Amino acid sequence: DSFQIIIPGARAFASGDDQILPELVAPLRNIAELALEHRLAVDIEGHTDDKPISHGRFASNWELSTARAISVLRLFLGLGVPNSMLSASGRAEFAPVASNATEDGRALNRRIVLLVKPSAAGRR
């Protein structure tokens, strides 16, 4: 049994940045605690819209989406979730959930997805 937690990108990160916004830290901490308590694996996916990144330290949406996923992974590691229960990947603009033709669609595509499932590696 697995489930997804979808976090809108605008609630998680400033535009073009991979630093988790302070208001998201507490909810992520709660998720990490639940993962530990219930021995759940968390696959963290970063997603972007299809607009090429045009500024900042990231050369592409691949790099930005991956860096965002890794930021969440690092937070979970810092909260004690074993690395055997975590993975992180960047999907850039290649797994959209909406059309990139509108701002609303692009906003839906900018997200972090946590795929949560029982962890064989995490069981004692």
Short mmCIF file of all heavy atoms in Angstrom, two decimals, residues 6 8-9 47 97-99 103-111:
data_model
loop_
_atom_site.label_atom_id
_atom_site.label_comp_id
_atom_site.label_asym_id
_atom_site.label_seq_id
_atom_site.Cartn_x
_atom_site.Cartn_y
_atom_site.Cartn_z
N ILE A 6 1.56 15.42 -2.38
CA ILE A 6 1.98 16.39 -3.40
C ILE A 6 2.06 17.76 -2.74
O ILE A 6 1.09 18.24 -2.15
CB ILE A 6 1.01 16.40 -4.58
CG1 ILE A 6 0.98 15.02 -5.24
CG2 ILE A 6 1.41 17.48 -5.59
CD1 ILE A 6 -0.09 14.84 -6.29
N PRO A 8 2.79 21.67 -3.52
CA PRO A 8 2.96 22.68 -4.58
C PRO A 8 4.31 23.37 -4.44
O PRO A 8 4.73 23.74 -3.33
CB PRO A 8 1.81 23.65 -4.34
CG PRO A 8 0.81 22.89 -3.54
CD PRO A 8 1.61 21.94 -2.69
N GLY A 9 4.98 23.56 -5.57
CA GLY A 9 6.31 24.16 -5.56
C GLY A 9 6.35 25.54 -4.94
O GLY A 9 7.29 25.88 -4.23
N HIS A 47 9.72 18.27 -9.43
CA HIS A 47 9.13 18.51 -10.75
C HIS A 47 9.13 20.02 -11.04
O HIS A 47 9.00 20.83 -10.12
CB HIS A 47 7.68 18.01 -10.80
CG HIS A 47 7.54 16.54 -10.62
ND1 HIS A 47 7.46 15.67 -11.68
CD2 HIS A 47 7.49 15.78 -9.49
CE1 HIS A 47 7.34 14.44 -11.21
NE2 HIS A 47 7.35 14.48 -9.89
N VAL A 97 1.46 17.16 -14.79
CA VAL A 97 0.10 16.75 -14.40
C VAL A 97 -0.95 17.66 -15.02
O VAL A 97 -2.13 17.41 -14.89
CB VAL A 97 -0.07 16.73 -12.86
CG1 VAL A 97 0.79 15.63 -12.25
CG2 VAL A 97 0.23 18.08 -12.25
N ALA A 98 -0.49 18.71 -15.70
CA ALA A 98 -1.38 19.67 -16.34
C ALA A 98 -0.67 20.26 -17.55
O ALA A 98 0.54 20.08 -17.73
CB ALA A 98 -1.76 20.78 -15.36
N SER A 99 -1.42 20.98 -18.35
CA SER A 99 -0.84 21.62 -19.53
C SER A 99 0.06 22.78 -19.09
O SER A 99 -0.27 23.54 -18.19
CB SER A 99 -1.96 22.17 -20.42
OG SER A 99 -1.41 23.00 -21.43
N GLU A 103 -0.62 29.58 -16.98
CA GLU A 103 0.09 29.77 -15.72
C GLU A 103 -0.45 28.81 -14.65
O GLU A 103 0.31 28.26 -13.86
CB GLU A 103 -0.01 31.21 -15.22
CG GLU A 103 0.73 31.46 -13.92
CD GLU A 103 2.17 30.94 -13.87
OE1 GLU A 103 2.92 31.10 -14.86
OE2 GLU A 103 2.55 30.32 -12.85
N ASP A 104 -1.77 28.59 -14.62
CA ASP A 104 -2.34 27.64 -13.65
C ASP A 104 -1.78 26.23 -13.86
O ASP A 104 -1.45 25.55 -12.90
CB ASP A 104 -3.86 27.62 -13.75
CG ASP A 104 -4.50 28.88 -13.18
OD1 ASP A 104 -3.83 29.63 -12.44
OD2 ASP A 104 -5.69 29.10 -13.47
N GLY A 105 -1.68 25.81 -15.12
CA GLY A 105 -1.12 24.50 -15.42
C GLY A 105 0.34 24.41 -15.03
O GLY A 105 0.77 23.41 -14.43
N ARG A 106 1.12 25.44 -15.35
CA ARG A 106 2.54 25.45 -14.98
C ARG A 106 2.69 25.39 -13.46
O ARG A 106 3.57 24.70 -12.95
CB ARG A 106 3.24 26.67 -15.57
CG ARG A 106 3.45 26.57 -17.07
CD ARG A 106 4.34 27.68 -17.61
NE ARG A 106 3.75 29.00 -17.44
CZ ARG A 106 2.89 29.57 -18.29
NH1 ARG A 106 2.51 28.91 -19.38
NH2 ARG A 106 2.42 30.77 -18.07
N ALA A 107 1.83 26.10 -12.74
CA ALA A 107 1.90 26.10 -11.27
C ALA A 107 1.65 24.69 -10.73
O ALA A 107 2.32 24.26 -9.77
CB ALA A 107 0.90 27.08 -10.69
N LEU A 108 0.71 23.96 -11.32
CA LEU A 108 0.45 22.58 -10.88
C LEU A 108 1.64 21.66 -11.16
O LEU A 108 1.90 20.71 -10.42
CB LEU A 108 -0.80 22.03 -11.57
CG LEU A 108 -2.12 22.63 -11.13
CD1 LEU A 108 -3.25 22.16 -12.04
CD2 LEU A 108 -2.42 22.29 -9.68
N ASN A 109 2.36 21.94 -12.23
CA ASN A 109 3.50 21.10 -12.60
C ASN A 109 4.72 21.34 -11.71
O ASN A 109 5.56 20.45 -11.57
CB ASN A 109 3.84 21.30 -14.07
CG ASN A 109 2.78 20.72 -14.96
OD1 ASN A 109 2.11 19.77 -14.60
ND2 ASN A 109 2.60 21.31 -16.13
N ARG A 110 4.82 22.51 -11.10
CA ARG A 110 5.92 22.80 -10.18
C ARG A 110 5.54 22.22 -8.81
O ARG A 110 4.69 22.75 -8.11
CB ARG A 110 6.15 24.31 -10.08
CG ARG A 110 6.62 24.93 -11.37
CD ARG A 110 6.98 26.39 -11.19
NE ARG A 110 5.87 27.23 -10.80
CZ ARG A 110 5.08 27.92 -11.64
NH1 ARG A 110 5.29 27.87 -12.95
NH2 ARG A 110 4.09 28.66 -11.17
N ARG A 111 6.19 21.11 -8.45
CA ARG A 111 5.78 20.43 -7.23
C ARG A 111 6.88 19.48 -6.74
O ARG A 111 7.79 19.13 -7.47
CB ARG A 111 4.50 19.64 -7.48
CG ARG A 111 4.69 18.48 -8.44
CD ARG A 111 3.39 18.02 -9.06
NE ARG A 111 3.56 16.80 -9.86
CZ ARG A 111 4.03 16.76 -11.11
NH1 ARG A 111 4.40 17.88 -11.72
NH2 ARG A 111 4.14 15.61 -11.75
#
